[in-house]
Amino acid sequence: GNKIAVVGAGPAGMTCAYFLALDGYKVTVFEKENALGGMLTLGIPSFRLEKDVVNSEIELLRELGVEFVTGVEIGKDLTLDQLREQGFEAFYIAIGAQAGRKLGIEGEDADGVISGVDFLRKVNLCQKIRVSGNVVVIGGGNVAIDVARTAVRMEKTESTKMYCLESEKEMPALPEEQEEAKADGIEINNGWGPKKIVVEDGKVTGV
């Protein structure tokens, strides 16, 4: 019956909530986004992991008595001290690693450049994001593949090409991921590293 707060509704937070609920604790999960599931929902495209699979897991937690509070960022909208005042006795912090990586090159803060993680999050949250013309994805990992395969499915995209430093055999992305990308018409260019983003009037014009 003890009240425990879980901060973050991603895989780690939901797993913790599941086992605590089985042990009889009263668990509330706080999530800053309006969608539950963390990177399962926001970072993985629906063509790879159907959202109803994640939702069925969430419903199982609800049946176990786990409560979910969305749109609340702990530390900003609500503090741990305030939660203690509400009777919470323990906290599990599962905020994940959702920040996109930057390349450290000239022009990467220009309009038209977006990290892969942020791009996938915006698409999965159905936020307005304009992608048109020629799309360049820098990177050779599984996230880069997900970004490219998502971009190629957008209406106004003319071409989607990937560029990565590694050779085809050295790419971090799994071989089957590479084959799926190629099957979607994505061109993978190996042995290329970006020197700078070409910018005019604050907007990207090339790499």
Side-chain angles (χ1 to χ4, degrees):
N2 302 68
K3 292 175 68 176
I4 297 180
V6 173
V7 182
M14 291 197 296
T15 301
C16 178
Y18 171 77
F19 285 107
L20 287 173
L22 285 182
D23 284 342
Y25 292 100
K26 189 175 181 181
V27 185
T28 302
V29 179
F30 295 87
E31 170 58 48
K32 71 175 182 177
E33 302 288 356
N34 290 317
L36 300 170
M39 294 302 281
L40 289 176
T41 303
L42 305 178
I44 301 177
S46 57
F47 58 78
R48 183 186 301 283
L49 175 64
E50 291 291 343
K51 302 310 176 197
D52 56 0
V53 175
V54 180
N55 291 335
S56 65
E57 296 292 319
I58 294 169
E59 286 308 310
L60 174 62
L61 292 177
R62 292 188 197 275
E63 291 173 11
L64 289 173
V66 176
E67 296 182 9
F68 292 94
V69 178
T70 58
V72 174
E73 185 174 351
I74 302 302
K76 182 178 178 182
D77 303 314
L78 203 58
T79 66
L80 294 183
D81 285 336
Q82 288 173 319
L83 290 177
R84 287 189 181 95
E85 291 172 2
Q86 294 179 22
F88 288 96
E89 300 176 54
F91 305 91
Y92 181 73
I93 311 299
I95 55 175
Q98 297 188 24
R101 294 172 58 190
K102 289 196 171 186
L103 298 168
I105 59 174
E106 181 185 339
E108 66 181 341
D109 294 320
D111 183 19
V113 180
I114 185 171
S115 75
V117 171
D118 288 338
F119 172 74
L120 292 172
R121 182 187 295 117
K122 287 178 180 292
V123 171
N124 284 318
L125 285 172
C126 298
Q127 296 178 353
K128 289 184 178 180
I129 179 167
R130 293 181 294 106
V131 177
S132 61
N134 300 316
V135 177
V136 172
V137 179
I138 299 171
N142 290 330
V143 172
I145 296 278
D146 283 348
V147 169
R149 295 187 67 201
T150 299
V152 82
R153 285 166 166 76
M154 302 182 89
E155 289 183 9
K156 296 183 179 180
T157 303
E158 294 176 16
S159 72
T160 301
K161 299 179 181 181
M162 292 180 59
Y163 290 85
C164 63
L165 283 170
E166 303 88 358
S167 67
E168 186 174 350
K169 291 183 178 179
E170 294 172 330
M171 283 178 66
L174 298 170
E176 56 265 33
E177 302 282 345
Q178 298 178 44
E179 291 305 316
E180 289 175 355
K182 291 175 183 176
D184 281 342
I186 296 163
E187 180 184 310
I188 301 177
N189 299 277
N190 300 97
W192 289 86
K195 187 175 182 179
K196 73 173 183 177
I197 307 294
V198 183
V199 181
E200 291 181 14
D201 298 324
K203 295 184 178 182
V204 174
T205 58
V207 182

